[in-house]
Amino acid sequence: MTQGQQRTRRAAFTGLTSLVARGSSTAVNLVSIPLTQHYLGTERFGLWLMLSMLLNWVSLTDLGLTSSLTNVLATANGDVRQAKQAVSSAFWLMVGIAIVLSLVFTIAYPFIQWDRLFNVTSDQAKSEIGLVVIVFFVGFILRLPLSIAGRIYTAYQEGYFYQAWAGLSNLLSVGALLVAIQFQVGLPSLVAGFFGTALLGDGLATLHVFGWKWRSLRPEWVEFSPKQAKWLLKTGLQFWVIQISSILFFQTDLMVVAQLFGASAVANYGPILKLFTLLGAIQTAFLFPLWPAYGEAFSRRDVPWITITFKRTIGLTLLWSLSTGIILSLSANKILKLWLNETVTVDLILAMFVMSVLMALGHCIGTLLNGLGHIKSQVI
């Protein structure tokens, strides 16, 4: 088997396991949304959806370090010393970022009117919002250093290990949600139980990576390299700009809706948004593993494999996004009616369809540029 065939096989296997993990995540969403909507009520349910969106923003606070770490490890070509220095440098930088953010949050927390920020009006939501933010922030901060393990799997094209841990945490989150509802707990406890399972998956991945799979990469302070840290930060900040742009374009919808129409309006907009994000979730399950594969192939000057693979991803992406997008558009209101007994307007469905297709094509190009290390062009 050639090197190119091995890359394709590893990427496909990671994609399949990722698809299973995301399938479990989708199942969790399908189960959790009607359960939480009924249990929490309209406004608190809208707040729940906003917190779910904000959890995806953890990558924004790492200054792009995990992304730059992926490129270093993917192109190290077996240099264990370089890889260990990169992991140690990224880990301790991440710990430093977590400490700084914690200090800023502790100082700023008393001065922020959280009920106004999230635009909640009910007495129950107002009484819970402060503690909800604290619980959410603690989980947010802990995920920063724990996110490194997942990128190590990705860089070495063994992302299927991480997807296995993610799938397990998804299943456990359903159990946590059902227990929380059974005991009639408040929103802070619900957030702690449901989102805390994501931390469990990251924790298990960290133990597996540094305790067994790649012990030689275990972070150590003595392996912290100022030169490596400088490069990681320089490259990472470019990734960071890209991440901010992506979030501003595609992941602020719910916050905008909340500010314009109130948190209760999120309960109507959120489900159709989640429904169409399934298209991108399935696509990226197979696309994301190609990032380190492109990087490793580029370091070996295997340009023919890169060219063929990129053309295939464009063709398959168009086939997938257009066909499934049309089917989903035609059946969206029927699905929403059965799922939540709600419907949305045709123009909103059309907008979601167009956005999904354009995002799918953008992901193909972005993955290639990330793997080749062409970050500046994306920043511009």
mmCIF file with all atom_site columns, all heavy atoms in Angstrom, residues 218-233:
data_model
loop_
_atom_site.group_PDB
_atom_site.id
_atom_site.type_symbol
_atom_site.label_atom_id
_atom_site.label_alt_id
_atom_site.label_comp_id
_atom_site.label_asym_id
_atom_site.label_entity_id
_atom_site.label_seq_id
_atom_site.pdbx_PDB_ins_code
_atom_site.Cartn_x
_atom_site.Cartn_y
_atom_site.Cartn_z
_atom_site.occupancy
_atom_site.B_iso_or_equiv
_atom_site.pdbx_formal_charge
_atom_site.auth_seq_id
_atom_site.auth_comp_id
_atom_site.auth_asym_id
_atom_site.auth_atom_id
_atom_site.pdbx_PDB_model_num
ATOM 1   N N   . ARG A 1 218 ? 4.231  13.613 26.675 1.00 0.00 ? 218 ARG A N   1
ATOM 2   C CA  . ARG A 1 218 ? 3.648  14.172 27.893 1.00 0.00 ? 218 ARG A CA  1
ATOM 3   C C   . ARG A 1 218 ? 4.265  15.544 28.202 1.00 0.00 ? 218 ARG A C   1
ATOM 4   O O   . ARG A 1 218 ? 5.489  15.692 28.233 1.00 0.00 ? 218 ARG A O   1
ATOM 5   C CB  . ARG A 1 218 ? 3.894  13.222 29.058 1.00 0.00 ? 218 ARG A CB  1
ATOM 6   C CG  . ARG A 1 218 ? 3.164  13.587 30.341 1.00 0.00 ? 218 ARG A CG  1
ATOM 7   C CD  . ARG A 1 218 ? 3.474  12.575 31.427 1.00 0.00 ? 218 ARG A CD  1
ATOM 8   N NE  . ARG A 1 218 ? 3.060  11.230 31.013 1.00 0.00 ? 218 ARG A NE  1
ATOM 9   C CZ  . ARG A 1 218 ? 3.387  10.129 31.694 1.00 0.00 ? 218 ARG A CZ  1
ATOM 10  N NH1 . ARG A 1 218 ? 4.162  10.209 32.770 1.00 0.00 ? 218 ARG A NH1 1
ATOM 11  N NH2 . ARG A 1 218 ? 2.967  8.955  31.263 1.00 0.00 ? 218 ARG A NH2 1
ATOM 12  N N   . PRO A 1 219 ? 3.424  16.574 28.422 1.00 0.00 ? 219 PRO A N   1
ATOM 13  C CA  . PRO A 1 219 ? 3.956  17.933 28.650 1.00 0.00 ? 219 PRO A CA  1
ATOM 14  C C   . PRO A 1 219 ? 4.842  18.013 29.894 1.00 0.00 ? 219 PRO A C   1
ATOM 15  O O   . PRO A 1 219 ? 4.482  17.497 30.958 1.00 0.00 ? 219 PRO A O   1
ATOM 16  C CB  . PRO A 1 219 ? 2.687  18.778 28.836 1.00 0.00 ? 219 PRO A CB  1
ATOM 17  C CG  . PRO A 1 219 ? 1.593  17.991 28.216 1.00 0.00 ? 219 PRO A CG  1
ATOM 18  C CD  . PRO A 1 219 ? 1.953  16.552 28.415 1.00 0.00 ? 219 PRO A CD  1
ATOM 19  N N   . GLU A 1 220 ? 5.982  18.652 29.748 1.00 0.00 ? 220 GLU A N   1
ATOM 20  C CA  . GLU A 1 220 ? 6.898  18.889 30.861 1.00 0.00 ? 220 GLU A CA  1
ATOM 21  C C   . GLU A 1 220 ? 7.401  20.325 30.761 1.00 0.00 ? 220 GLU A C   1
ATOM 22  O O   . GLU A 1 220 ? 7.682  20.824 29.674 1.00 0.00 ? 220 GLU A O   1
ATOM 23  C CB  . GLU A 1 220 ? 8.074  17.913 30.802 1.00 0.00 ? 220 GLU A CB  1
ATOM 24  C CG  . GLU A 1 220 ? 7.673  16.451 30.976 1.00 0.00 ? 220 GLU A CG  1
ATOM 25  C CD  . GLU A 1 220 ? 8.873  15.518 30.896 1.00 0.00 ? 220 GLU A CD  1
ATOM 26  O OE1 . GLU A 1 220 ? 10.013 16.025 30.891 1.00 0.00 ? 220 GLU A OE1 1
ATOM 27  O OE2 . GLU A 1 220 ? 8.659  14.292 30.829 1.00 0.00 ? 220 GLU A OE2 1
ATOM 28  N N   . TRP A 1 221 ? 7.536  20.957 31.919 1.00 0.00 ? 221 TRP A N   1
ATOM 29  C CA  . TRP A 1 221 ? 7.973  22.354 31.926 1.00 0.00 ? 221 TRP A CA  1
ATOM 30  C C   . TRP A 1 221 ? 9.375  22.510 31.346 1.00 0.00 ? 221 TRP A C   1
ATOM 31  O O   . TRP A 1 221 ? 9.668  23.501 30.670 1.00 0.00 ? 221 TRP A O   1
ATOM 32  C CB  . TRP A 1 221 ? 7.906  22.910 33.337 1.00 0.00 ? 221 TRP A CB  1
ATOM 33  C CG  . TRP A 1 221 ? 8.431  24.307 33.438 1.00 0.00 ? 221 TRP A CG  1
ATOM 34  C CD1 . TRP A 1 221 ? 9.570  24.741 34.046 1.00 0.00 ? 221 TRP A CD1 1
ATOM 35  C CD2 . TRP A 1 221 ? 7.837  25.479 32.859 1.00 0.00 ? 221 TRP A CD2 1
ATOM 36  N NE1 . TRP A 1 221 ? 9.736  26.088 33.897 1.00 0.00 ? 221 TRP A NE1 1
ATOM 37  C CE2 . TRP A 1 221 ? 8.673  26.582 33.171 1.00 0.00 ? 221 TRP A CE2 1
ATOM 38  C CE3 . TRP A 1 221 ? 6.672  25.702 32.113 1.00 0.00 ? 221 TRP A CE3 1
ATOM 39  C CZ2 . TRP A 1 221 ? 8.396  27.876 32.765 1.00 0.00 ? 221 TRP A CZ2 1
ATOM 40  C CZ3 . TRP A 1 221 ? 6.390  26.998 31.699 1.00 0.00 ? 221 TRP A CZ3 1
ATOM 41  C CH2 . TRP A 1 221 ? 7.238  28.070 32.029 1.00 0.00 ? 221 TRP A CH2 1
ATOM 42  N N   . VAL A 1 222 ? 10.234 21.528 31.594 1.00 0.00 ? 222 VAL A N   1
ATOM 43  C CA  . VAL A 1 222 ? 11.621 21.634 31.113 1.00 0.00 ? 222 VAL A CA  1
ATOM 44  C C   . VAL A 1 222 ? 11.684 21.585 29.591 1.00 0.00 ? 222 VAL A C   1
ATOM 45  O O   . VAL A 1 222 ? 12.700 21.985 29.000 1.00 0.00 ? 222 VAL A O   1
ATOM 46  C CB  . VAL A 1 222 ? 12.508 20.518 31.708 1.00 0.00 ? 222 VAL A CB  1
ATOM 47  C CG1 . VAL A 1 222 ? 12.652 20.693 33.216 1.00 0.00 ? 222 VAL A CG1 1
ATOM 48  C CG2 . VAL A 1 222 ? 11.948 19.141 31.376 1.00 0.00 ? 222 VAL A CG2 1
ATOM 49  N N   . GLU A 1 223 ? 10.632 21.062 28.944 1.00 0.00 ? 223 GLU A N   1
ATOM 50  C CA  . GLU A 1 223 ? 10.604 20.980 27.485 1.00 0.00 ? 223 GLU A CA  1
ATOM 51  C C   . GLU A 1 223 ? 9.947  22.205 26.847 1.00 0.00 ? 223 GLU A C   1
ATOM 52  O O   . GLU A 1 223 ? 9.797  22.257 25.631 1.00 0.00 ? 223 GLU A O   1
ATOM 53  C CB  . GLU A 1 223 ? 9.860  19.716 27.038 1.00 0.00 ? 223 GLU A CB  1
ATOM 54  C CG  . GLU A 1 223 ? 10.586 18.422 27.382 1.00 0.00 ? 223 GLU A CG  1
ATOM 55  C CD  . GLU A 1 223 ? 11.907 18.271 26.630 1.00 0.00 ? 223 GLU A CD  1
ATOM 56  O OE1 . GLU A 1 223 ? 12.067 18.911 25.568 1.00 0.00 ? 223 GLU A OE1 1
ATOM 57  O OE2 . GLU A 1 223 ? 12.782 17.535 27.111 1.00 0.00 ? 223 GLU A OE2 1
ATOM 58  N N   . PHE A 1 224 ? 9.543  23.154 27.680 1.00 0.00 ? 224 PHE A N   1
ATOM 59  C CA  . PHE A 1 224 ? 8.977  24.389 27.141 1.00 0.00 ? 224 PHE A CA  1
ATOM 60  C C   . PHE A 1 224 ? 10.052 25.141 26.356 1.00 0.00 ? 224 PHE A C   1
ATOM 61  O O   . PHE A 1 224 ? 11.133 25.425 26.875 1.00 0.00 ? 224 PHE A O   1
ATOM 62  C CB  . PHE A 1 224 ? 8.438  25.273 28.262 1.00 0.00 ? 224 PHE A CB  1
ATOM 63  C CG  . PHE A 1 224 ? 7.838  26.575 27.770 1.00 0.00 ? 224 PHE A CG  1
ATOM 64  C CD1 . PHE A 1 224 ? 6.512  26.635 27.378 1.00 0.00 ? 224 PHE A CD1 1
ATOM 65  C CD2 . PHE A 1 224 ? 8.607  27.723 27.697 1.00 0.00 ? 224 PHE A CD2 1
ATOM 66  C CE1 . PHE A 1 224 ? 5.958  27.823 26.924 1.00 0.00 ? 224 PHE A CE1 1
ATOM 67  C CE2 . PHE A 1 224 ? 8.067  28.922 27.240 1.00 0.00 ? 224 PHE A CE2 1
ATOM 68  C CZ  . PHE A 1 224 ? 6.737  28.968 26.858 1.00 0.00 ? 224 PHE A CZ  1
ATOM 69  N N   . SER A 1 225 ? 9.759  25.439 25.098 1.00 0.00 ? 225 SER A N   1
ATOM 70  C CA  . SER A 1 225 ? 10.731 26.100 24.226 1.00 0.00 ? 225 SER A CA  1
ATOM 71  C C   . SER A 1 225 ? 10.229 27.495 23.862 1.00 0.00 ? 225 SER A C   1
ATOM 72  O O   . SER A 1 225 ? 9.200  27.617 23.170 1.00 0.00 ? 225 SER A O   1
ATOM 73  C CB  . SER A 1 225 ? 10.957 25.278 22.954 1.00 0.00 ? 225 SER A CB  1
ATOM 74  O OG  . SER A 1 225 ? 11.676 26.005 21.989 1.00 0.00 ? 225 SER A OG  1
ATOM 75  N N   . PRO A 1 226 ? 10.911 28.557 24.307 1.00 0.00 ? 226 PRO A N   1
ATOM 76  C CA  . PRO A 1 226 ? 10.488 29.921 23.929 1.00 0.00 ? 226 PRO A CA  1
ATOM 77  C C   . PRO A 1 226 ? 10.413 30.113 22.414 1.00 0.00 ? 226 PRO A C   1
ATOM 78  O O   . PRO A 1 226 ? 9.499  30.778 21.919 1.00 0.00 ? 226 PRO A O   1
ATOM 79  C CB  . PRO A 1 226 ? 11.575 30.803 24.558 1.00 0.00 ? 226 PRO A CB  1
ATOM 80  C CG  . PRO A 1 226 ? 12.110 30.001 25.696 1.00 0.00 ? 226 PRO A CG  1
ATOM 81  C CD  . PRO A 1 226 ? 12.062 28.575 25.229 1.00 0.00 ? 226 PRO A CD  1
ATOM 82  N N   . LYS A 1 227 ? 11.366 29.521 21.690 1.00 0.00 ? 227 LYS A N   1
ATOM 83  C CA  . LYS A 1 227 ? 11.364 29.649 20.232 1.00 0.00 ? 227 LYS A CA  1
ATOM 84  C C   . LYS A 1 227 ? 10.131 28.960 19.636 1.00 0.00 ? 227 LYS A C   1
ATOM 85  O O   . LYS A 1 227 ? 9.459  29.517 18.763 1.00 0.00 ? 227 LYS A O   1
ATOM 86  C CB  . LYS A 1 227 ? 12.640 29.033 19.663 1.00 0.00 ? 227 LYS A CB  1
ATOM 87  C CG  . LYS A 1 227 ? 12.746 29.142 18.148 1.00 0.00 ? 227 LYS A CG  1
ATOM 88  C CD  . LYS A 1 227 ? 14.060 28.532 17.649 1.00 0.00 ? 227 LYS A CD  1
ATOM 89  C CE  . LYS A 1 227 ? 14.146 28.623 16.122 1.00 0.00 ? 227 LYS A CE  1
ATOM 90  N NZ  . LYS A 1 227 ? 15.412 28.019 15.623 1.00 0.00 ? 227 LYS A NZ  1
ATOM 91  N N   . GLN A 1 228 ? 9.854  27.743 20.121 1.00 0.00 ? 228 GLN A N   1
ATOM 92  C CA  . GLN A 1 228 ? 8.692  27.015 19.629 1.00 0.00 ? 228 GLN A CA  1
ATOM 93  C C   . GLN A 1 228 ? 7.402  27.718 20.028 1.00 0.00 ? 228 GLN A C   1
ATOM 94  O O   . GLN A 1 228 ? 6.450  27.809 19.240 1.00 0.00 ? 228 GLN A O   1
ATOM 95  C CB  . GLN A 1 228 ? 8.700  25.590 20.190 1.00 0.00 ? 228 GLN A CB  1
ATOM 96  C CG  . GLN A 1 228 ? 7.625  24.681 19.637 1.00 0.00 ? 228 GLN A CG  1
ATOM 97  C CD  . GLN A 1 228 ? 7.877  24.304 18.195 1.00 0.00 ? 228 GLN A CD  1
ATOM 98  O OE1 . GLN A 1 228 ? 7.310  24.916 17.281 1.00 0.00 ? 228 GLN A OE1 1
ATOM 99  N NE2 . GLN A 1 228 ? 8.710  23.303 17.973 1.00 0.00 ? 228 GLN A NE2 1
ATOM 100 N N   . ALA A 1 229 ? 7.371  28.240 21.250 1.00 0.00 ? 229 ALA A N   1
ATOM 101 C CA  . ALA A 1 229 ? 6.186  28.950 21.728 1.00 0.00 ? 229 ALA A CA  1
ATOM 102 C C   . ALA A 1 229 ? 5.916  30.196 20.884 1.00 0.00 ? 229 ALA A C   1
ATOM 103 O O   . ALA A 1 229 ? 4.766  30.512 20.556 1.00 0.00 ? 229 ALA A O   1
ATOM 104 C CB  . ALA A 1 229 ? 6.362  29.335 23.190 1.00 0.00 ? 229 ALA A CB  1
ATOM 105 N N   . LYS A 1 230 ? 6.983  30.897 20.510 1.00 0.00 ? 230 LYS A N   1
ATOM 106 C CA  . LYS A 1 230 ? 6.841  32.093 19.688 1.00 0.00 ? 230 LYS A CA  1
ATOM 107 C C   . LYS A 1 230 ? 6.248  31.741 18.333 1.00 0.00 ? 230 LYS A C   1
ATOM 108 O O   . LYS A 1 230 ? 5.359  32.438 17.820 1.00 0.00 ? 230 LYS A O   1
ATOM 109 C CB  . LYS A 1 230 ? 8.204  32.772 19.523 1.00 0.00 ? 230 LYS A CB  1
ATOM 110 C CG  . LYS A 1 230 ? 8.155  34.048 18.690 1.00 0.00 ? 230 LYS A CG  1
ATOM 111 C CD  . LYS A 1 230 ? 9.547  34.676 18.582 1.00 0.00 ? 230 LYS A CD  1
ATOM 112 C CE  . LYS A 1 230 ? 9.512  35.942 17.720 1.00 0.00 ? 230 LYS A CE  1
ATOM 113 N NZ  . LYS A 1 230 ? 10.870 36.557 17.601 1.00 0.00 ? 230 LYS A NZ  1
ATOM 114 N N   . TRP A 1 231 ? 6.747  30.645 17.723 1.00 0.00 ? 231 TRP A N   1
ATOM 115 C CA  . TRP A 1 231 ? 6.222  30.225 16.419 1.00 0.00 ? 231 TRP A CA  1
ATOM 116 C C   . TRP A 1 231 ? 4.762  29.800 16.541 1.00 0.00 ? 231 TRP A C   1
ATOM 117 O O   . TRP A 1 231 ? 3.927  30.154 15.696 1.00 0.00 ? 231 TRP A O   1
ATOM 118 C CB  . TRP A 1 231 ? 7.047  29.071 15.860 1.00 0.00 ? 231 TRP A CB  1
ATOM 119 C CG  . TRP A 1 231 ? 6.666  28.733 14.440 1.00 0.00 ? 231 TRP A CG  1
ATOM 120 C CD1 . TRP A 1 231 ? 7.207  29.230 13.307 1.00 0.00 ? 231 TRP A CD1 1
ATOM 121 C CD2 . TRP A 1 231 ? 5.609  27.830 14.034 1.00 0.00 ? 231 TRP A CD2 1
ATOM 122 N NE1 . TRP A 1 231 ? 6.571  28.698 12.209 1.00 0.00 ? 231 TRP A NE1 1
ATOM 123 C CE2 . TRP A 1 231 ? 5.588  27.842 12.623 1.00 0.00 ? 231 TRP A CE2 1
ATOM 124 C CE3 . TRP A 1 231 ? 4.702  27.040 14.717 1.00 0.00 ? 231 TRP A CE3 1
ATOM 125 C CZ2 . TRP A 1 231 ? 4.699  27.076 11.885 1.00 0.00 ? 231 TRP A CZ2 1
ATOM 126 C CZ3 . TRP A 1 231 ? 3.795  26.279 13.980 1.00 0.00 ? 231 TRP A CZ3 1
ATOM 127 C CH2 . TRP A 1 231 ? 3.805  26.302 12.584 1.00 0.00 ? 231 TRP A CH2 1
ATOM 128 N N   . LEU A 1 232 ? 4.441  29.049 17.598 1.00 0.00 ? 232 LEU A N   1
ATOM 129 C CA  . LEU A 1 232 ? 3.059  28.607 17.794 1.00 0.00 ? 232 LEU A CA  1
ATOM 130 C C   . LEU A 1 232 ? 2.117  29.798 17.942 1.00 0.00 ? 232 LEU A C   1
ATOM 131 O O   . LEU A 1 232 ? 1.019  29.808 17.380 1.00 0.00 ? 232 LEU A O   1
ATOM 132 C CB  . LEU A 1 232 ? 2.964  27.712 19.030 1.00 0.00 ? 232 LEU A CB  1
ATOM 133 C CG  . LEU A 1 232 ? 3.549  26.298 18.913 1.00 0.00 ? 232 LEU A CG  1
ATOM 134 C CD1 . LEU A 1 232 ? 3.618  25.637 20.282 1.00 0.00 ? 232 LEU A CD1 1
ATOM 135 C CD2 . LEU A 1 232 ? 2.732  25.440 17.955 1.00 0.00 ? 232 LEU A CD2 1
ATOM 136 N N   . LEU A 1 233 ? 2.545  30.794 18.698 1.00 0.00 ? 233 LEU A N   1
ATOM 137 C CA  . LEU A 1 233 ? 1.714  31.975 18.897 1.00 0.00 ? 233 LEU A CA  1
ATOM 138 C C   . LEU A 1 233 ? 1.576  32.781 17.609 1.00 0.00 ? 233 LEU A C   1
ATOM 139 O O   . LEU A 1 233 ? 0.475  33.245 17.266 1.00 0.00 ? 233 LEU A O   1
ATOM 140 C CB  . LEU A 1 233 ? 2.303  32.856 19.997 1.00 0.00 ? 233 LEU A CB  1
ATOM 141 C CG  . LEU A 1 233 ? 2.015  32.432 21.439 1.00 0.00 ? 233 LEU A CG  1
ATOM 142 C CD1 . LEU A 1 233 ? 2.813  33.282 22.412 1.00 0.00 ? 233 LEU A CD1 1
ATOM 143 C CD2 . LEU A 1 233 ? 0.520  32.543 21.735 1.00 0.00 ? 233 LEU A CD2 1
#
